[in-house]
Amino acid sequence: MIKKFNKIIAASLAFALLSSCSNFLDRNSLEGLSEDSFWKSEQDAVMGVNTLYHANREFTNSIVMYGMMDDYTDISYQSFATGLTTGVFPANAAFYLDSWGIFFKGVYRANTALKNIPNIAMNDAVKRRSTGEAKFFRGYFYFKLWDFFGGVPLYDTPINVDESFAVRNTEKEVYEFIVRDMTDAYEMLPDTYDASNKGRATKWAALAMRGKAHLWAKEYDKAAADFKELMDKSDRKLFADFHNLFRVAGNNNSEVIFDVQYIAEKGHGIATDRNYGNARGATTGSQRTRPTPKLVNAYEMEDGTPFDFANYKNANGEVFNPNSVEDWKDEASVRKLFEKRDPRMHQSIVVPWSTFVGRGGVSYLYKFPVASTDPNAYVPVWTNGSYAWRKFVETGSVYTLQDNMPQNFPLVRLADVILMYAEAKNEALATPDQSVYDAVNAVRGRAKMPNLPTGLNQEQMRERIRHERMVELAGEGQRYSDIRRWKIAKAVVDKVWMTDFNGTQIRQRGFPDHYYLWPIPQAERDVNPKLTQNPGWE
């Protein structure tokens, strides 16, 4: 479990400012050490590998919340205008440069560890594990680079500045590099850890990431085989309480395969309550990210039929116009609108006339129109017609550090793996077999939703799997990669208006053709002219 942070500073590039959390990251300061005086002991090896966890946390926490990558899709949006949502981000935007820098910093640290650990006299099991962690993270950081930037230079040693002017490797070469690292990591890493090392990468995390690499590369049989092995042989189980999966009470649960860990300590928590949270929460969040009406409308009826305003009648049996402000003032009709829906909707999102346990442990009722002067009414930050996240937002008043919640953030969990298995298997077959149905139904069953109808063809099953990923993984940052790899991002995002739930337009979104890949940061190209630019960003 996470207990304490220490700042770890080393003079070499491998040890830029470090601040990480967990028993396994609780180490003495490295300040003042040079690389020549480091990498001498088992403790040095463990400390060096721990820097990789920090680099991973840095992207999750300091660029944007990882889950807020969904804001660049059709299911949530940034409350404040950003170029990546409106389609006008320039190639020299700091967002791209910072992300590139974090990932390659992680690659450098991994390579430094892999160079030095073999020469240290230390416990064989710890050496093997530490080497496996370095392989895992090098492959993981390259997966993120591949996902966002496409082909990038491959480095397998801790190069100096003079050696860094390499050309971009092909996407296939990067994919194959990731697979090799994850295969090595799978063979070296343990399947579980004791309590003092909770949060370290396991062989199952490596297997899941190798499967993801295969899936992204459309190697469907290989992806399905990896996911199936994890489902059959690991100790990971679907966690019964979907709501608590995304609260502090659910930290280190049976479903999480790999996550980023946090504690309630200034500088060492995660800012979910600020960015996902609302004005009635204990930390008074900003609702920087908000679910879209499209996401809320995507949650099925509890009998498995799609929700559709065309089939919905208000409390008086009349047509309900979702773009009419007046219709949304009808309490009885709006309450009816959100009844008998997929339970994940209420577990993930605060909708009108639902309750939220907020500041002081009070159960606040979301009245609409918003009753701003009622002390017992839920008041969102955005009062004109806004849904709000319940996912990743703590209830009550136990935690009050707005930017430092002790909520671990899942990067890979079993439901995601199960749905990726269903996708890979469905794509590999002409017609979905029973294992595809069983996988999707397992995720739906946890949500207490009925099984899929039988007799689906491949295309129909594909759409059901994509729908299931959208509602199951909402707010977790997975959809941004999904809609890009499926090549549907432009269709579902470009020129679409962000709106309040009553149809009021906020701003128009943009997803130009070249947004499927991020630009190679211009500052990197200025330093290394061999780096070619991605199409459309010149």
Side-chain angles (χ1 to χ4, degrees):
M1 296 291 290
I2 296 176
K3 295 288 178 120
K4 187 177 180 182
F5 285 72
N6 280 322
K7 287 185 178 179
I8 301 176
I9 303 175
S12 72
L13 290 176
F15 293 99
L17 181 64
L18 172 67
S19 174
S20 291
C21 58
S22 197
N23 274 349
F24 70 81
L25 296 181
D26 182 11
R27 299 291 183 262
N28 296 325
S29 174
L30 300 182
E31 189 165 1
L33 292 179
S34 68
E35 191 166 358
D36 289 340
S37 63
F38 198 65
W39 299 110
K40 303 297 185 184
S41 68
E42 179 176 306
Q43 184 184 40
D44 292 350
V46 173
M47 293 168 72
V49 166
N50 290 347
T51 67
L52 298 168
Y53 291 88
H54 169 68
N56 189 37
R57 186 177 72 95
E58 191 175 349
F59 177 71
T60 306
N61 206 36
S62 67
I63 303 301
V64 289
M65 308 296 298
Y66 181 80
M68 291 170 63
M69 299 300 287
D70 279 353
D71 286 352
Y72 311 131
T73 76
D74 50 340
I75 66 170
S76 70
Y77 56 85
Q78 289 268 347
S79 295
F80 314 111
T82 66
L84 201 54
T85 60
T86 56
V88 293
F89 238 21
N92 63 355
F95 177 88
Y96 303 125
L97 179 63
D98 291 345
S99 300
W100 175 283
I102 289 171
F103 298 142
F104 271 112
K105 176 168 60 178
V107 168
Y108 180 89
R109 290 178 177 178
N111 282 333
T112 302
L114 291 168
K115 172 188 173 183
N116 289 286
I117 289 174
N119 302 320
I120 299 174
M122 57 189 289
N123 176 275
D124 286 342
V126 178
K127 176 180 282 191
R128 183 175 179 83
R129 184 198 78 193
S130 298
T131 303
E133 288 173 285
K135 289 269 188 169
F136 171 83
F137 273 109
R138 186 173 67 180
Y140 183 82
F141 292 130
Y142 266 120
F143 180 89
K144 303 305 287 184
L145 285 161
W146 177 47
D147 184 8
F148 295 136
F149 296 101
V152 294
L154 289 172
Y155 301 109
D156 59 4
T157 59
I159 59 168
N160 59 40
V161 174
D162 294 336
E163 299 169 319
S164 64
F165 301 108
V167 299
R168 297 173 65 180
N169 288 77
T170 66
E171 291 199 46
K172 182 181 180 185
E173 288 169 336
V174 178
Y175 155 65
E176 291 171 344
F177 189 91
I178 295 164
V179 169
R180 287 194 297 272
D181 268 358
M182 290 303 173
T183 300
D184 290 345
Y186 169 73
E187 293 171 351
M188 292 178 173
L189 290 171
D191 55 2
T192 189
Y193 291 94
D194 60 24
S196 66
N197 285 290
K198 280 286 188 184
R200 288 193 181 278
T202 65
K203 67 185 300 175
W204 307 121
L207 188 61
M209 288 306 303
R210 189 175 73 180
K212 284 189 73 167
H214 289 320
L215 182 60
W216 263 236
K218 297 181 170 55
E219 294 285 349
Y220 297 121
D221 286 324
K222 293 177 181 178
D226 280 352
F227 297 138
K228 184 69 162 58
E229 181 181 349
L230 191 156
M231 292 157 57
D232 289 347
K233 296 182 179 180
S234 80
D235 64 343
R236 301 293 81 193
K237 307 294 181 186
L238 290 176
F239 190 60
D241 189 341
F242 183 82
H243 176 55
N244 273 338
L245 260 174
F246 313 102
R247 299 178 65 244
V248 177
N251 280 353
N252 300 306
N253 65 72
S254 64
E255 183 166 337
V256 170
I257 296 169
F258 184 59
D259 63 7
V260 184
Q261 304 225 333
Y262 296 93
I263 59 171
E265 192 172 302
K266 188 174 182 180
H268 310 305
I270 188 169
T272 40
D273 253 38
R274 173 189 289 276
N275 293 298
Y276 286 71
N278 56 75
R280 279 293 192 247
T283 65
T284 312
S286 66
Q287 278 182 260
R288 179 180 167 189
T289 175
R290 289 185 275 171
T292 63
K294 176 176 179 177
L295 174 61
V296 175
N297 297 340
Y299 289 97
E300 299 169 355
M301 304 304 295
E302 64 181 12
D303 64 2
T305 57
F307 171 81
D308 190 339
F309 275 109
N311 300 325
Y312 175 73
K313 301 298 182 184
N314 68 15
N316 297 317
E318 301 167 343
V319 172
F320 183 95
N321 181 1
N323 296 319
S324 165
V325 174
E326 291 303 312
D327 282 22
W328 283 93
K329 294 178 181 179
D330 178 2
E331 176 185 344
S333 296
V334 175
R335 281 183 179 273
K336 181 173 178 281
L337 186 65
F338 301 114
E339 293 174 351
K340 298 181 179 180
R341 301 283 291 277
D342 182 334
R344 288 172 293 187
M345 182 187 72
H346 285 291
Q347 292 163 343
S348 301
I349 299 168
V350 182
V351 300
W353 300 102
S354 66
T355 58
F356 175 81
V357 180
R359 189 183 306 121
V362 175
S363 184
Y364 296 97
L365 178 64
Y366 186 1
K367 299 179 179 180
F368 194 79
V370 173
S372 300
T373 60
D374 184 343
N376 293 314
Y378 174 88
V379 180
V381 174
W382 312 96
T383 58
N384 290 333
S386 173
Y387 295 120
W389 288 109
R390 195 184 301 274
K391 210 170 187 178
F392 296 116
V393 180
E394 277 298 310
T395 57
S397 300
V398 177
Y399 306 102
T400 57
L401 291 172
Q402 185 182 63
D403 293 325
N404 295 279
M405 300 301 294
Q407 163 68 60
N408 296 346
F409 200 95
L411 300 180
V412 185
R413 60 184 177 91
L414 185 59
D416 180 13
V417 167
I418 292 172
L419 292 173
M420 288 192 290
Y421 167 80
E423 178 183 344
K425 194 73 173 176
N426 185 60
E427 296 300 331
L429 300 171
T431 303
D433 66 9
Q434 189 58 45
S435 74
V436 179
Y437 284 91
D438 290 345
V440 180
N441 289 339
V443 175
R444 291 175 63 83
R446 190 260 300 276
K448 296 181 172 54
M449 290 295 290
N451 288 345
L452 295 178
T454 59
L456 300 177
N457 62 32
Q458 185 189 51
E459 175 61 28
Q460 290 169 328
M461 180 61 80
R462 179 184 296 129
E463 292 307 310
R464 297 304 295 253
I465 293 168
R466 291 180 178 184
H467 172 271
E468 205 63 34
R469 287 187 64 80
M470 176 171 62
V471 298
E472 171 72 21
L473 302 169
E476 298 177 53
Q478 302 292 343
R479 186 160 176 81
Y480 182 64
S481 292
D482 281 350
I483 62 174
R484 287 167 45 250
R485 67 186 178 88
W486 294 332
K487 301 301 181 186
I488 65 170
K490 185 176 178 65
V492 300
V493 176
D494 195 42
K495 296 182 173 57
V496 173
W497 279 90
M498 307 178 194
T499 68
D500 287 327
F501 55 63
N502 55 26
T504 302
Q505 293 181 335
I506 301 171
R507 90 179 58 88
Q508 195 174 38
R509 315 189 72 153
F511 197 101
D513 291 328
H514 59 281
Y515 264 42
Y516 282 97
L517 287 177
W518 291 357
I520 305 302
Q522 188 58 50
E524 295 291 335
R525 298 188 67 220
D526 291 341
V527 173
N528 178 8
K530 294 180 181 179
L531 289 175
T532 57
Q533 185 56 281
N534 282 325
W537 291 100
E538 294 85 354

